[in-house]
Amino acid sequence: MRRERIELPSCHLSVNESLSFQFSFSPEYRIPSSPFLHFWSPDPRGGAAGAARRGIPYRFIYIPGLCVFIIDMVMKAASPRQSINKVLARVGVQGFVGSSQKRLKYAMQEEEEAGDMEMEQMGAERTKNVLILMSDTGGGHRASAEAIRDAFWLEYGDAYRVFIKDVWKEYTGWPLNNMESQYKFMIKHVQLWRVAFHGTSPKWIHSSYLAAVASFYAKQVEAGLMEYKPHIIISVHPLMQHIPLLVLKWQGLQKKVTFVTVITDLTTCHRTWFHPMVNRLYCPSEEVAKRALLDGLEESRVRVFGLPIRPSFCRATFSKDDLRIELEMDTELPAVLLMGGGEGMGPVKKTAEALGESLFDKEKNKPIGQLIIVCGRNEALATSLRNLEWKIPVKVRGFEKQMQKWMGACDCIITKAGPGTIAEALIRGLPIILNDYIPGQEKGNIPYVVDNGAGMFTRSPSKTAEIVAGWFSTKKNELKRMSENAKKIAQPEAVFDIVRDIHELACQKGTLSTIPYMLTSSFSGLI
């Protein structure tokens, strides 16, 4: 059967208490011919298309999979709220008054059953919306979200439309809308962060708190989710499970929306990551998976694929020599990459100065290595380093968007124990010197790297410089062995494995995931 894509024109919709619906089309609109389009009109003159062209209102319009969406929006208007009105305005529905959901449900049940086959056929062709929930509390959450988005595009093209949103910042108020600034303040005062991390770990504490917040910001979160009408919701942040899942539960949308969590902490992670209502939990390591099972998740819902890393890291094919030429580096000297994170934090300057001394052979009066320093957004640090006089080749970079190239051009890396940077370095086979960590979620990353023989840990800038100098001179075999160990525990295909599994999981939902979002009533009036 030939199928056509049908798009409704701008129309005016009204409903009265007797559940009589009227759609008034603009006179110039031409009704297309389609087996999926049906009209019922009281006007006997000229049929449906002729009446529509004359602007005569219709009592009822039925398009399987689309009509239900429009009618249910009318039903929702019975008790208008600002957040819902805003969403309705975005889809062009105007001029409505209240109705009864219960009466509408029974009136439409027969039509829905008759249109199941058409809905399935049309749903198979629809682009699915994917909403990724994140917060910029550290750079890793956004990086993981962008990696998943890019992998969806590479694997499935325009079959999925992916949105990356901080729903808290855009739709709610304090304390959710300024989590980013709160987090930055606390990690600058690590003892405060340590207390916050461990103090909120007990389930009864964080569950009670998040349930209270959910009830307070219910309408706002509902409006945020409904704006994107997602078929799939992906959380890449520990505080993005409880409240959205409660929203879906109260709306009765759990069976229609696929909800998954992608954990972005490598080993030690907060217990808010683990929620038993998720359809799937993607863990970066076996250790995290074991913690999830202990916290009550079903084993069938847990997958261990690794940390999602940008496809540019996973599938890059550049050779080291070509990259060094492109980046204007010395093509002969080994290179060390010194990272300060997105904010350029840590003992970057002291470590750089120590490396400047240790990588210069005073006896031969020549350098034995070169140094690349990435300062992130810390412009003051970058300026001070550029003003120093160096005995070895040094490049100072700011916030870098081509990290896959710089890592591919270097031989080892010095960084704090951020999970994303560690995973990227392992994919590139870079031995790692960890020089700092954030208490709580990053503490376990130290033994993960060291125990697997992929690197070392020291907070001392002088010790760090000594290790690198040894790797570049008398301990080259150790450097090579650590590089091989790094590649053994790397998981470059993790992001694609995650996306493929999400796709399969969404397909298992069948036609449920194609039912329009507003088929269920708003829960906001219940709170």
Side-chain angles (χ1 to χ4, degrees), residues 20-295:
S20 175
F21 299 87
Q22 288 190 347
F23 295 78
S24 299
F25 293 90
S26 53
E28 67 274 9
Y29 177 67
R30 184 174 183 83
I31 303 295
S33 173
S34 170
F36 296 114
L37 186 61
H38 309 280
F39 290 85
W40 287 264
S41 173
D43 183 76
R45 298 172 298 164
R53 283 194 293 270
R54 291 192 299 274
I56 298 176
Y58 279 80
R59 287 290 175 183
F60 186 77
I61 296 179
Y62 176 67
I63 303 175
L66 181 58
C67 166
V68 174
F69 174 75
I70 298 175
I71 291 178
D72 195 63
M73 286 192 292
V74 179
M75 176 273 295
K76 288 183 184 303
S79 56
R81 294 171 296 277
Q82 182 177 2
S83 59
I84 307 304
N85 293 347
K86 178 181 177 182
V87 177
L88 295 179
R90 287 174 178 263
V91 296
V93 179
Q94 303 168 337
F96 49 83
V97 294
S99 178
S100 168
Q101 179 189 4
K102 188 173 182 180
R103 293 166 64 190
L104 179 62
K105 176 181 177 181
Y106 289 112
M108 294 173 58
Q109 186 174 1
E110 190 173 270
E111 293 293 346
E112 286 184 288
E113 292 174 355
D116 280 346
M117 183 61 68
E118 289 94 338
M119 287 180 66
E120 183 174 358
Q121 291 172 340
M122 292 181 71
E125 296 179 349
R126 290 179 56 190
T127 297
K128 289 183 172 64
N129 291 339
V130 179
L131 177 60
I132 303 181
L133 303 178
M134 53 73 63
S135 176
D136 285 313
T137 51
H141 303 296
R142 181 173 292 277
S144 294
E146 292 174 349
I148 294 170
R149 177 199 61 196
D150 295 346
F152 262 111
W153 171 253
L154 291 173
E155 286 291 300
Y156 302 108
D158 57 3
Y160 289 94
R161 184 186 298 111
V162 182
F163 303 93
I164 299 175
K165 291 295 175 180
D166 184 343
V167 176
W168 299 167
K169 183 182 292 185
E170 295 185 28
Y171 290 92
T172 68
W174 188 90
L176 297 179
N177 64 349
N178 65 343
M179 286 197 303
E180 181 180 352
S181 60
Q182 294 173 31
Y183 178 77
K184 289 180 179 180
F185 175 81
M186 285 191 286
I187 61 171
K188 289 180 180 179
H189 305 81
V190 292
Q191 297 303 325
L192 182 60
W193 172 250
R194 182 181 283 109
V195 171
F197 184 90
H198 295 291
T200 57
S201 182
K203 197 169 185 177
W204 69 272
I205 292 180
H206 65 251
S207 295
S208 301
Y209 168 74
L210 291 171
V213 174
S215 63
F216 191 77
Y217 287 117
K219 291 195 296 184
Q220 290 88 335
V221 175
E222 178 189 14
L225 295 182
M226 289 175 65
E227 179 174 349
Y228 301 101
K229 295 182 283 293
H231 301 83
I232 302 168
I233 297 178
I234 304 173
S235 168
V236 294
H237 192 279
L239 297 182
M240 297 290 179
Q241 279 78 238
H242 294 70
I243 297 177
L245 282 167
L246 285 173
V247 168
L248 295 180
K249 180 180 179 180
W250 292 334
Q251 278 190 305
L253 286 169
Q254 281 181 284
K255 293 183 178 180
K256 301 178 181 69
V257 179
T258 300
F259 194 107
V260 305
T261 295
V262 180
I263 296 179
T264 60
D265 290 325
L266 196 55
T267 53
T268 47
C269 54
H270 199 273
R271 292 182 68 188
T272 47
W273 278 113
F274 308 128
H275 198 293
M277 288 169 57
V278 298
N279 298 111
R280 193 79 87 222
L281 178 71
Y282 298 102
C283 301
S285 64
E286 292 290 346
E287 182 178 347
V288 173
K290 291 177 182 178
R291 291 173 182 266
L293 297 179
L294 290 174
D295 232 37

Side-chain angles (χ1 to χ4, degrees), residues 354-410:
L355 287 167
E357 294 295 328
S358 68
L359 296 182
F360 185 78
D361 189 331
K362 296 180 180 179
E363 293 182 1
K364 297 181 180 180
N365 196 32
K366 65 177 185 179
I368 61 171
Q370 56 187 317
L371 172 62
I372 311 299
I373 311 170
V374 177
C375 302
R377 300 179 184 86
N378 194 332
E379 296 181 3
L381 173 63
T383 300
S384 65
L385 289 170
R386 291 189 183 103
N387 290 334
L388 295 177
E389 294 185 3
W390 300 95
K391 301 176 183 178
I392 63 172
V394 173
K395 285 191 175 295
V396 180
R397 308 289 299 182
F399 187 83
E400 187 57 60
K401 295 184 178 180
Q402 298 290 325
M403 283 308 306
Q404 71 275 12
K405 292 185 177 181
W406 290 103
M407 284 194 182
C410 291

Side-chain angles (χ1 to χ4, degrees), residues 335-351:
V336 54
L337 178 62
L338 175 59
M339 298 278 294
E343 305 302 322
M345 299 173 62
V348 176
K349 186 173 183 178
K350 290 182 179 180
T351 304

Side-chain angles (χ1 to χ4, degrees), residues 332-334 368 411 431 467-484:
E332 302 296 331
L333 291 174
I368 61 171
D411 299 280
I467 293 171
V468 175
W471 285 349
F472 288 179
S473 56
T474 59
K475 297 182 179 180
K476 293 181 179 180
N477 289 335
E478 181 178 281
L479 181 69
K480 182 179 179 181
R481 184 175 64 254
M482 286 191 171
S483 177
E484 293 171 352

Side-chain angles (χ1 to χ4, degrees), residues 384-455:
S384 65
L385 289 170
R386 291 189 183 103
N387 290 334
L388 295 177
E389 294 185 3
W390 300 95
K391 301 176 183 178
I392 63 172
V394 173
K395 285 191 175 295
V396 180
R397 308 289 299 182
F399 187 83
E400 187 57 60
K401 295 184 178 180
Q402 298 290 325
M403 283 308 306
Q404 71 275 12
K405 292 185 177 181
W406 290 103
M407 284 194 182
C410 291
D411 299 280
C412 62
I413 185 172
I414 304 166
T415 179
K416 80 176 187 69
T421 304
I422 290 175
E424 292 170 349
L426 295 177
I427 291 173
R428 281 283 164 264
L430 295 181
I432 307 168
I433 299 178
L434 300 172
N435 61 2
D436 201 1
Y437 66 89
I438 296 175
Q441 72 268 27
E442 290 184 358
K443 184 177 181 179
N445 299 346
I446 304 296
Y448 180 81
V449 171
V450 175
D451 294 348
N452 281 292

